[in-house]
Amino acid sequence: MSAASRAPQRSNRATGVCDTGARAARVRPPRARARARRRAALTAGAAVAALLLTACGSGGTSGGGGNTNFVTGTDGISTAAKGERAAAPELSGKTLEGEHLDVADFQGKVVVLNMWGSWCNPCRAEAKYFAKVSEDYADQDVQFVGINTRDSTTGAALAFEKDFGITYPSLYDPTGKLMLRFEKGTLNPQAIPSTLILDRDGGIAARSLTALSEERLLKMLEPVLAEK
């Protein structure tokens, strides 16, 4: 008997084939292939969610590669010059209170968009500053709008708003669909919290991917508000 014929066969239960020393083709039964396809689909979905919603408070990255037409300062605030700003996508739906809201209706005002979740500790840290600045600038053609995400029900989000005295509306976006409408390579939200400033024409003028103090929020808002 030759050495090759005496070589022990190693059973591979995961693939249902035997390894005789040569690499055998791996054949999966139909049920295993179906499970693999389901796992691949779930993995792809998780990857999209992870790219969009990086760990709460981590800040993500400015990303964009190539000619993005924006710059990121040392303070983490990214800005785009007037005339080089991407338009915000269509952002409409039901608010936490169940009322219809369309961000496009605020064109002509400077809009502060804040992506947040009641489960997010950095969101809690910045909420008092958003409540204060939204009140201070209420009569200066500034509109604050929240986009609440990853809250499975509105109850916790409404309690969050009550706790921090937030009076401006928030669109309810539990699965992040509204956030996915922003074009890649622009000043798109990539983390929770994220804050965007829209100019009076609906262009995305500034972005932060971390929690904001009152000082940093005003640093984003006031230059856009001062534009003519």
Side-chain angles (χ1 to χ4, degrees):
M1 182 179 294
S2 68
S5 63
R6 289 197 303 271
Q9 292 186 342
R10 295 190 297 274
S11 176
N12 188 330
R13 294 181 181 179
T15 61
V17 300
C18 292
D19 183 353
T20 61
R23 188 176 296 275
R26 296 178 179 270
V27 179
R28 292 182 177 179
R31 186 174 298 175
R33 289 198 298 270
R35 285 198 299 268
R37 285 195 296 268
R38 285 196 296 271
R39 283 196 300 269
L42 290 171
T43 300
V48 171
L51 177 63
L52 175 65
L53 302 176
T54 53
C56 178
S58 69
T61 59
S62 58
N67 183 20
T68 56
N69 293 329
F70 64 83
V71 295
T72 302
T74 56
D75 55 5
I77 295 173
S78 301
T79 57
K82 197 171 183 179
E84 296 185 348
R85 295 169 182 167
E90 189 268 331
L91 299 169
S92 64
K94 295 292 185 181
T95 65
L96 291 172
E97 293 80 11
E99 300 177 356
H100 180 76
L101 184 147
D102 189 340
V103 172
D105 291 341
F106 300 122
Q107 193 157 339
K109 293 185 176 184
V110 174
V111 177
V112 181
L113 282 177
N114 178 242
M115 291 69 179
W116 64 279
S118 67
W119 43 269
C120 167
N121 285 332
C123 300
R124 302 183 74 84
E126 70 177 5
K128 61 184 177 182
Y129 305 122
F130 279 78
K132 181 179 184 300
V133 175
S134 67
E135 294 288 340
D136 291 347
Y137 284 76
D139 60 350
Q140 298 189 45
D141 285 335
V142 176
Q143 176 64 50
F144 278 65
V145 177
I147 297 182
N148 171 261
T149 191
R150 292 298 179 93
D151 275 312
S152 57
T153 65
T154 60
L158 289 168
F160 178 102
E161 290 188 331
K162 183 177 180 181
D163 288 345
F164 291 101
I166 293 173
T167 57
Y168 55 83
S170 281
L171 287 163
Y172 183 47
D173 185 30
T175 60
K177 289 182 179 178
L178 293 180
M179 295 175 67
L180 286 170
R181 292 180 182 176
F182 287 84
E183 185 179 351
K184 292 179 82 174
T186 67
L187 292 175
N188 57 318
Q190 298 176 14
I192 301 299
S194 287
T195 300
L196 308 181
I197 307 293
L198 308 186
D199 64 24
R200 290 179 176 85
D201 297 319
I204 308 172
R207 176 190 68 184
S208 171
L209 299 176
T210 59
L212 293 171
S213 63
E214 180 178 355
E215 179 183 7
R216 291 182 69 233
L217 175 56
L218 291 175
K219 186 176 181 180
M220 292 177 67
L221 171 62
E222 289 184 336
V224 183
L225 186 60
E227 291 177 352
K228 302 300 182 183

